[in-house]
Amino acid sequence: MSMHEGHRQRKKEQFQKNGLASFADHEVLELLLYYAIPRRDTNEMAHQLIERFGSLNGVLNAAPEELQKVSGIGENAATLLRLVPAVMHRAAAKTPKERILNSVERSGTFFMSLLCQQRREVLYQVCLDAKGKILSYRQIATGTVDSVTLNVREIVENALHADASSVLLGHNHPSGIALPSAEDRSMTLQVGQALQTMGIRLVDHIIVADGDFVSMAASGLLL
């Protein structure tokens, strides 16, 4: 493997392990352009795109003919760059305005869609209204392949900010099975007690692994 190919592979692995959080904007473009320009260094092109259009958003919303004025950017690369916001717009337009999580099955399916591709343990918090409608959801912790640490105070503050009636937690076991560990049970009880003091109910904690999920509520572990 050449030095150039090795750099590309490292960037791909960085994204697969950690997502885009550790990438600068030009590195996001560099990675994206790998799939339209397989044989050239795309780092300099990415820098030139950011310089010409001012930001990542500016690049993705630039006209194809303007994109192709940057050296190395041909029709395929310009089409790929314009495709990204178009796909996101289509997906957003087809997303239901309201999503109700008022059953174990719905909650499990929701968290599986969020967590099934994660390679590290990731914890999500979902804030719900009295009907079970999602008010907000966010990733609140990222760990290693077999552990994740949460901040109880942050969870309570998120729930209060969303004016939530109840909260769902969900995390994954990428290297194991979908059964809650002793640590999972302990931290869940801590969160439930902290939320209860604010009049907010912890409805469930869903554990996802290997295409399956386990509900701590349905398992009688939230008592």
Side-chain angles (χ1 to χ4, degrees), residues 44-79:
E44 181 58 29
M45 295 178 206
H47 278 289
Q48 290 179 22
L49 285 165
I50 294 290
E51 182 176 350
R52 182 180 182 91
F53 299 105
S55 66
L56 178 59
N57 186 61
V59 173
L60 295 177
N61 286 283
E65 59 270 22
E66 291 300 317
L67 291 168
Q68 291 181 67
K69 292 179 180 179
V70 173
S71 177
I73 302 297
E75 182 180 4
N76 286 346
T79 300

Side-chain angles (χ1 to χ4, degrees), residues 152 181-193 216 221:
V152 175
S181 65
E183 291 78 11
D184 293 337
R185 295 194 293 271
S186 175
M187 75 174 186
T188 301
L189 290 175
Q190 290 179 48
V191 171
Q193 290 166 2
M216 290 184 64
L221 297 176

Side-chain angles (χ1 to χ4, degrees), residues 145-164:
V145 294
D146 58 5
S147 67
V148 66
T149 302
L150 59 76
N151 184 319
V152 175
R153 179 177 178 179
E154 179 185 1
I155 292 173
V156 173
E157 289 177 347
N158 289 340
L160 291 172
H161 181 73
D163 196 21

Side-chain angles (χ1 to χ4, degrees), residues 12-210:
K12 292 176 183 177
E13 291 172 354
Q14 180 183 347
F15 170 71
Q16 290 166 359
K17 291 179 180 178
N18 302 310
L20 291 177
S22 62
F23 281 68
D25 284 357
H26 75 275
E27 291 176 311
V28 175
L29 289 174
E30 178 187 1
L31 177 62
L32 187 60
L33 289 170
Y34 290 169
Y35 301 95
I37 307 172
R39 302 296 180 187
R40 295 181 58 185
D41 182 1
T42 60
N43 181 274
E44 181 58 29
M45 295 178 206
H47 278 289
Q48 290 179 22
L49 285 165
I50 294 290
E51 182 176 350
R52 182 180 182 91
F53 299 105
S55 66
L56 178 59
N57 186 61
V59 173
L60 295 177
N61 286 283
E65 59 270 22
E66 291 300 317
L67 291 168
Q68 291 181 67
K69 292 179 180 179
V70 173
S71 177
I73 302 297
E75 182 180 4
N76 286 346
T79 300
L80 179 62
L81 291 172
R82 291 294 298 124
L83 185 61
V84 172
V87 169
M88 292 303 297
H89 180 75
R90 170 72 69 88
K94 292 183 177 293
T95 300
K97 300 289 185 209
E98 294 187 359
R99 189 156 190 179
I100 306 294
L101 302 183
N102 57 2
S103 70
V104 170
E105 190 62 34
R106 287 185 175 187
S107 299
T109 299
F110 177 80
F111 281 114
M112 284 181 65
S113 70
L114 287 178
L115 295 165
C116 65
Q117 299 299 321
Q118 297 287 347
R119 300 195 176 192
R120 296 174 180 267
E121 284 205 16
V122 176
L123 177 69
Y124 274 88
Q125 175 184 359
V126 180
C127 294
L128 306 171
D129 71 4
K131 297 187 301 181
K133 183 180 76 174
I134 296 177
L135 299 173
S136 68
Y137 69 91
R138 65 178 65 187
Q139 180 179 319
I140 56 174
T142 303
T144 64
V145 294
D146 58 5
S147 67
V148 66
T149 302
L150 59 76
N151 184 319
V152 175
R153 179 177 178 179
E154 179 185 1
I155 292 173
V156 173
E157 289 177 347
N158 289 340
L160 291 172
H161 181 73
D163 196 21
S165 294
S166 59
V167 164
L168 284 168
L169 296 178
H171 83 280
N172 59 322
H173 286 173
S175 61
I177 57 175
L179 291 176
S181 65
E183 291 78 11
D184 293 337
R185 295 194 293 271
S186 175
M187 75 174 186
T188 301
L189 290 175
Q190 290 179 48
V191 171
Q193 290 166 2
L195 288 169
Q196 188 174 27
T197 63
M198 298 296 168
I200 302 168
R201 187 165 67 99
L202 178 61
V203 178
D204 206 345
H205 187 163
I206 301 292
I207 315 293
V208 173
D210 195 25

